[in-house]
Amino acid sequence: QVQLVESGGGLVQAGGSLRLSCVASRRTFSTWAMGWFRRAPGKEREFVAAISWNGEATYYADSVKDRFTISRDNVKSTLSLEMNNLKPEDTAVYYCNSGTRSSRLQDYRNGGVGRYWGQGTQVTVSS
């Protein structure tokens, strides 16, 4: 079993920045692609960003491209999401995700979702 623990959410004004972190409990974290998803009130879960196992390739939803940056530190088993120029529509609970079918970034490109989730961290952007 893999445990994922997110942190870093909060309340920020539009145009501000936040950095989310996700710490994984297993060493195999370093061999898996990882992703971030979010769920806004009354909306379906939405893909945000994903990163390959070695951090060399990334993939973003169009809505966050050029504003968000996903990264990872395999030594610390930590996944991060740097969010800049935040907008009210970014308000959501953000979830760390891993454990896709083949543990590759392509799984996320194909619309896949991993079987492991964190508990989520709330991001609220005021206008």
Side-chain angles (χ1 to χ4, degrees):
Q1 185 69 14
V2 174
Q3 288 188 319
L4 303 173
V5 180
E6 301 100 334
S7 62
L11 173 64
V12 64
Q13 288 188 330
S17 299
L18 281 174
R19 184 180 181 90
L20 306 184
S21 294
C22 170
V23 179
S25 64
R26 265 174 60 170
R27 285 185 170 272
T28 45
F29 164 92
S30 66
T31 64
W32 295 352
M34 301 284 294
W36 287 97
F37 288 76
R38 67 187 182 187
R39 188 190 298 271
K43 294 188 176 181
E44 296 291 318
R45 182 181 61 205
E46 176 187 23
F47 169 79
V48 176
I51 189 168
S52 61
W53 69 273
N54 59 3
E56 292 184 356
T58 56
Y59 174 55
Y60 296 93
D62 288 343
S63 59
V64 306
K65 202 174 296 183
D66 299 325
R67 298 189 299 122
F68 290 11
T69 301
I70 188 171
S71 61
R72 66 189 298 162
D73 183 336
N74 286 344
V75 173
K76 297 181 179 179
S77 297
T78 300
L79 177 72
S80 298
L81 185 68
E82 181 76 29
M83 305 185 295
N84 297 315
N85 190 21
L86 283 160
K87 304 175 180 180
E89 52 263 43
D90 294 319
T91 294
V93 178
Y94 284 71
Y95 299 91
C96 178
N97 177 260
S98 72
T100 59
R101 187 175 62 85
S102 66
S103 299
R104 295 164 55 219
L105 180 63
Q106 191 61 38
D107 293 335
Y108 289 106
R109 291 183 185 275
N110 292 340
V113 175
R115 60 189 179 277
Y116 300 117
W117 295 93
Q119 82 288 352
T121 185
Q122 175 71 48
V123 172
T124 303
V125 184
S126 63
S127 58

